[in-house]
Amino acid sequence: MKLKLKIWRQAGPKAKGGFETYDIDGISPDTSFLEMLDILNNNLIHAGKEPVVFDHDCREGICGACSLHINGYAHGPDSEITTCQLHMRKFRDGDTITIEPWRSAAFPVVKDLVVDRQAFDKILQAGGFVSVNTGGVPDANSIPVAKDDAEESMDAAACIGCGACVATCKNGSAMLFVAARVSSLAKLPQGKIEASRRAKAMVARMDELGFGSCTNTQACEAACPKGISITHIARLNREFLKAKLKD
């Protein structure tokens, strides 16, 4: 495959960025998207040019680090996958592919295609945890959890914090991420003790960090590589309102 790549290059957070075009040839349709970028960088290094900086870690669809906007789609033009799971057979020979970093005020560009997603960590630090001293590890069956509740909690916990929901939302909202974290704990007995403060604290921190408001367009659900439903946002709203009523 012969491709033309339009890639966003930016030297640093305060530098002015812009697109640069690169031609690449000999790419197998079975090559993953990140492997294609590896090949490009290898070519650039051999040509004495600076390689493109992009983020990655596990390359197994687990960590969510490979956050790229490809031809206008978060993680590329395929559903329920991360960028590392995208293969070049989704494109055609001769295609022009536009590659950008996440576009969100809360995710400033570090360099080229890498953004700073520490805002998600700060939201989690505000309440996305269980801090109650439970003593030793309890027996697996000592705290009964209904099957439906356990499955729904696990579905919410599948969130990998990649930020695709924020990058896709026209408002730059982090509601799906926050809702998934709140919902995964709200459905379990272990999460009930701190429930009254969790939703309030995480929503307040989300607002402080500059994320936008949710207008229920469902763009976040469509872009989520783990297919997390916006029904979790409804639960977040209920948890938040219950906490406010207690106040």
Side-chain angles (χ1 to χ4, degrees):
M1 296 176 69
K2 186 175 183 180
L3 303 162
K4 188 180 292 292
L5 308 177
K6 290 180 63 179
I7 301 178
W8 183 264
R9 303 300 305 265
Q10 187 170 334
K14 297 182 180 179
K16 183 178 180 181
F19 285 102
E20 292 186 11
T21 303
Y22 304 93
D23 292 313
I24 191 167
D25 199 357
I27 300 299
S28 168
D30 295 325
T31 302
S32 76
F33 199 87
L34 294 190
E35 287 171 340
M36 182 273 295
L37 290 178
D38 289 336
I39 294 169
L40 171 66
N41 277 344
N42 187 58
N43 294 344
L44 291 174
I45 291 169
H46 278 87
K49 299 178 181 179
E50 186 176 3
V52 177
V53 178
F54 63 96
D55 217 348
H56 64 91
D57 190 3
C58 71
R59 299 203 180 200
E60 295 178 347
I62 297 171
C63 70
C66 54
S67 48
L68 298 179
H69 224 72
I70 303 165
N71 284 350
Y73 296 96
H75 293 299
D78 205 349
S79 59
E80 297 192 7
I81 62 160
T82 52
T83 302
C84 62
Q85 296 172 302
L86 178 67
H87 287 79
M88 300 312 296
R89 53 181 168 266
K90 292 297 294 186
F91 304 92
R92 293 177 296 182
D93 187 33
D95 273 357
T96 297
I97 304 175
T98 303
I99 309 169
E100 305 173 72
W102 285 164
R103 301 295 191 182
S104 171
F107 293 155
V109 174
V110 176
K111 187 173 182 179
D112 292 345
L113 302 174
V114 177
V115 298
D116 183 351
R117 293 179 297 168
Q118 288 187 72
F120 272 6
D121 295 330
K122 293 175 182 177
I123 292 173
L124 289 177
Q125 290 165 6
F129 53 84
V130 175
S131 62
V132 178
N133 183 7
T134 57
V137 179
D139 182 80
N141 297 318
S142 63
I143 304 176
V145 181
K147 183 175 184 294
D148 289 345
D149 289 342
E151 289 183 349
E152 198 165 353
S153 175
M154 288 299 293
D155 286 345
C159 172
I160 56 177
C162 67
C165 51
V166 176
T168 303
C169 177
K170 65 178 182 179
N171 305 319
S173 173
M175 279 291 278
L176 189 64
F177 168 77
V178 176
R181 297 306 190 188
V182 168
S183 192
S184 66
L185 294 173
K187 297 297 290 183
L188 299 176
Q190 296 90 334
K192 300 294 185 185
I193 298 172
E194 295 171 302
S196 60
R197 65 170 294 275
R198 180 179 297 111
K200 288 189 302 180
M202 293 180 74
V203 169
R205 195 72 175 115
M206 175 182 68
D207 292 340
E208 289 172 12
L209 292 167
F211 291 100
S213 301
C214 175
T215 50
N216 292 314
T217 64
Q218 292 185 270
C220 55
E221 181 181 305
C224 178
K226 298 303 176 182
I228 293 174
S229 171
I230 62 167
T231 56
H232 294 293
I233 296 178
R235 177 168 295 105
L236 168 60
N237 289 334
R238 289 197 297 272
E239 292 291 314
F240 183 82
L241 288 172
K242 282 194 297 184
K244 284 293 186 180
L245 287 171
K246 282 185 179 180
D247 288 346

